Amino acid sequence: MIDRAQAKQQGIFIDEFLIKVSSDDMYLYLEIDPKNPAIISALREKWEKIRGALKENKILGILEDPDFVNNMLIVAKGLPPKDPIPEKIELFEKFLPLLKRDKDLEKKCREASEEEAEDLRDLCQSIICAKKGEAIGRWFPSIPGTPGVNVWGDPIPPPPLSEKPSFTLGNNLYIDEKDNLIKAKESGVVVIEKNVIEIYPEYTLKGDVDFSTGNVYFYGKKFTIQGDIKFGFKVICEGELELQGATENKVYIDVKGSFICQGIIRGEETKIKVKGNTQIKAVEFATLEIEGNLTIVNYLIFSNCIVYGNITATSGKGIIYGGEVKCSGNVEAKIIGNASHTPTKVFAGYNPELIEPYKRVLKEEMKIKEVLERLEQGIRLGEKIKKYGKLSEQKEKILLKLEEEAEKCYKTLEKLKEEINNLRKLIAEYKSRTIKILDKVYAGVTLGITDITYTLNENKSGPIIFYLEADKPVLKS
């Protein structure tokens, strides 16, 4: 057997060839000039003998053919250990902007034209949410290293897993063992801080919704905005929304949950849709659709509103004037109208899903009646001519056609009458609604219950209640 220590110091002699051992015991090699044909020829002649001698001495990794590397002719090679692969997380494309954001993107967005900015508002999103059960990425478990072996047959342990995981998961995320997908336990904003990925069902934006955030599509319990929503931006929120600032123009807000807001201002093209109760301090020039109750603290002016609950404006200034306010429930306000007699319409008991079809059907009924009246005139004239035997064959055909069309009108009217009666029954349930004015209502204001209206021709001081009695409007002090 080869003496290992001696071999490392002096090498291994096999015939005239000196085989050396690398310092790490991973190679046996000869130091020869690859351009010397005599040595190469002698080595080829003796190669099988050299291989046999190495095998007898239990050397591992003997090559079938020697391999030249930097003037070294490698004759045996150990198997190096394989490094371990640490665990890793790969986020799906939707969430990649959380890792890397174009530093110049916000600047590009601010400098873009309004047409270009419309698309960029979505492109520069920085608040990204996941729904409950949604996968945000995939987890790849660590793979341990594989031991190696040197030319003496000694095992070489792999290096340890020294790297820490690139990310750790917060309490609202979990790994689905079926497919190693990382999924959300709760809906909320995905945040990466200090190498921790977490989902926040309640999230506070400490600033404005602008090009630094992009449009916001929130899913969770509550989203709080401490700043404003700037011109042209959207906030789509499945959960509660609290806007501690105000809106600029051309803002779109859609909330499936309650909504609290300081102000909807400068909002000629601003639209607000809420499925839940809403409290707003002040509204100017906006379009509101609220499937719930609306509470106004100071004023609701020059706005078009549809509210499927009650409207209350009794705290703060409590003013309503300008535009059309349609409410399915009751309305209560301190002041309706203003000293300038701005046209103002306020309805209680107005359910647009009933009133609008009702108005449409009445209009359709009127048109059918007008057509039928003209048809009946033609039929009467045709029958008169026919009575005197002066109706030609061609005109008799026309008379038959008029009678057919009249019959169609009669049938259509029957259907419309049935629809009108059904709608009237449903609308009647809303006629008990009232409008209460605590302080003052001004001349020029139109008050309505369902589709029945009353326009004031003089100012009146409150408290006043407006209601219907036997389908007639009553204004009672």
Side-chain angles (χ1 to χ4, degrees):
M1 290 291 292
I2 296 173
D3 184 286
R4 188 183 299 190
Q6 184 179 345
K8 291 203 70 169
Q9 288 181 358
Q10 301 175 8
I12 303 167
F13 279 98
I14 300 176
D15 287 350
E16 71 269 31
F17 297 102
L18 175 61
I19 299 173
K20 294 184 176 182
V21 183
S22 65
S23 59
D24 59 1
D25 294 326
M26 292 299 290
Y27 300 99
L28 295 184
Y29 63 94
L30 289 84
E31 288 182 332
I32 61 175
D33 184 358
K35 296 179 182 179
N36 189 325
I39 295 176
I40 299 300
S41 178
L43 181 64
R44 283 177 179 167
E45 290 177 7
K46 300 282 183 74
W47 176 239
E48 288 304 321
K49 183 178 179 182
I50 294 170
R51 288 184 79 244
L54 293 174
K55 284 182 180 179
E56 287 178 7
N57 285 279
K58 309 292 187 184
I59 298 298
L60 298 183
I62 302 166
L63 301 180
E64 289 293 327
D65 293 301
D67 186 18
F68 268 112
V69 178
N70 298 328
N71 290 337
M72 292 190 303
L73 188 66
I74 308 296
V75 296
K77 188 187 295 184
L79 181 67
K82 288 186 178 179
D83 290 344
I85 300 174
E87 68 174 281
K88 67 175 181 176
I89 288 172
E90 288 185 359
L91 295 182
F92 292 149
E93 186 176 359
K94 172 183 173 181
F95 304 95
L96 287 178
L98 298 173
L99 294 176
K100 189 176 181 181
R101 183 174 172 84
D102 184 350
K103 294 180 181 178
D104 298 325
L105 180 59
E106 187 178 338
K107 183 181 177 183
K108 291 176 187 173
C109 292
R110 293 184 187 280
E111 293 174 353
S113 67
E114 179 52 34
E115 288 183 4
E116 294 172 321
E118 192 70 32
D119 294 328
L120 293 172
R121 288 184 177 95
D122 267 339
L123 184 64
C124 62
Q125 285 178 58
S126 63
I127 297 174
I128 302 175
C129 292
K131 291 186 176 181
K132 183 178 180 180
E134 181 180 358
I136 70 164
R138 190 182 296 277
W139 174 70
F140 294 87
S142 61
I143 300 174
T146 305
V149 62
N150 63 22
V151 293
W152 308 112
D154 301 328
I156 305 170
L161 266 170
S162 57
E163 292 185 40
K164 293 181 179 179
S166 54
F167 296 105
T168 56
L169 302 181
N171 294 329
N172 287 321
L173 287 162
Y174 71 99
I175 297 170
D176 190 332
E177 295 179 357
K178 294 178 183 177
D179 45 23
N180 284 344
L181 292 178
I182 301 165
K183 295 183 178 179
K185 291 181 183 177
E186 299 286 344
S187 298
V189 178
V190 182
V191 176
I192 301 176
E193 285 182 323
K194 297 179 181 179
N195 295 331
V196 177
I197 307 175
E198 181 60 294
I199 287 182
Y200 292 93
E202 297 188 25
Y203 184 80
T204 298
L205 171 62
K206 297 178 180 179
D208 301 327
V209 173
D210 56 18
F211 284 112
S212 67
T213 64
N215 290 331
V216 178
Y217 300 87
F218 177 82
Y219 311 102
K221 290 182 180 178
K222 184 177 181 182
F223 180 44
T224 302
I225 304 168
Q226 292 185 340
D228 300 331
I229 302 177
K230 297 299 184 181
F231 179 92
F233 282 88
K234 297 177 187 176
V235 175
I236 313 297
C237 180
E238 289 191 16
E240 296 178 33
L241 176 62
E242 182 177 352
L243 175 59
Q244 295 179 356
T247 64
E248 293 186 358
N249 194 18
K250 211 174 180 181
V251 164
Y252 181 72
I253 298 174
D254 189 335
V255 186
K256 291 180 175 66
S258 63
F259 177 43
I260 298 174
C261 175
Q262 286 297 302
I264 308 296
I265 56 175
R266 302 191 295 278
E268 291 89 343
E269 296 181 75
T270 291
K271 294 182 180 179
I272 313 295
K273 289 183 71 176
V274 183
K275 288 186 177 180
N277 294 329
T278 301
Q279 179 181 309
I280 308 176
K281 192 171 184 179
V283 182
E284 299 175 1
F285 302 97
T287 300
L288 278 66
E289 183 178 328
I290 313 295
E291 293 185 29
N293 297 322
L294 172 62
T295 300
I296 298 295
V297 177
N298 281 336
Y299 56 82
L300 171 63
I301 62 173
F302 297 108
S303 297
N304 293 319
C305 301
I306 294 175
V307 179
Y308 288 87
N310 299 317
I311 296 178
T312 305
T314 56
S315 60
K317 294 179 180 178
I319 300 171
I320 299 174
Y321 71 80
E324 280 193 357
V325 177
K326 297 173 180 177
C327 170
S328 293
N330 301 307
V331 178
E332 189 172 2
K334 284 185 177 180
I335 299 169
I336 298 181
N338 63 3
S340 301
H341 306 297
T342 300
T344 303
K345 294 182 179 180
V346 178
F347 288 83
Y350 191 106
N351 185 334
E353 294 177 3
L354 298 176
I355 301 294
E356 301 303 330
Y358 179 64
K359 287 181 176 179
R360 177 184 54 77
V361 174
L362 288 178
K363 194 173 181 180
E364 194 174 341
E365 182 190 40
M366 189 178 296
K367 285 182 180 178
I368 296 293
K369 284 181 175 179
E370 289 174 357
V371 171
L372 185 59
E373 186 178 349
R374 290 195 294 271
L375 289 170
E376 287 175 340
Q377 286 176 355
I379 290 168
R380 284 195 297 271
L381 180 61
E383 287 177 343
K384 188 175 181 181
I385 297 171
K386 185 178 181 181
K387 184 178 179 181
Y388 291 103
K390 296 181 178 181
L391 193 67
S392 66
E393 185 177 341
Q394 183 180 0
K395 287 183 179 179
E396 189 165 350
K397 288 180 181 179
I398 294 173
L399 179 59
L400 286 171
K401 185 67 176 174
L402 290 176
E403 289 172 342
E404 287 175 5
E405 291 300 317
E407 186 61 30
K408 288 179 184 178
C409 287
Y410 291 133
K411 289 179 179 178
T412 302
L413 279 176
E414 283 300 314
K415 289 180 181 179
L416 289 175
K417 283 177 183 178
E418 184 180 352
E419 191 174 349
I420 289 167
N421 289 333
N422 290 335
L423 286 169
R424 278 176 176 163
K425 288 176 185 177
L426 294 171
I427 291 169
E429 297 176 13
Y430 290 86
K431 289 184 177 180
S432 60
R433 306 295 192 266
T434 62
I435 299 174
K436 293 181 181 178
I437 302 108
L438 302 183
D439 294 344
K440 194 168 189 176
V441 59
Y442 285 88
V445 168
T446 297
L447 302 177
I449 308 288
T450 62
D451 60 328
I452 300 168
T453 61
Y454 174 83
T455 301
L456 283 86
N457 53 21
E458 61 178 351
N459 300 340
K460 286 188 175 290
S461 297
I464 296 168
I465 183 168
F466 176 74
Y467 60 96
L468 294 182
E469 194 172 88
D471 283 354
K472 292 186 178 180
V474 178
L475 194 66
K476 185 176 180 181
S477 299

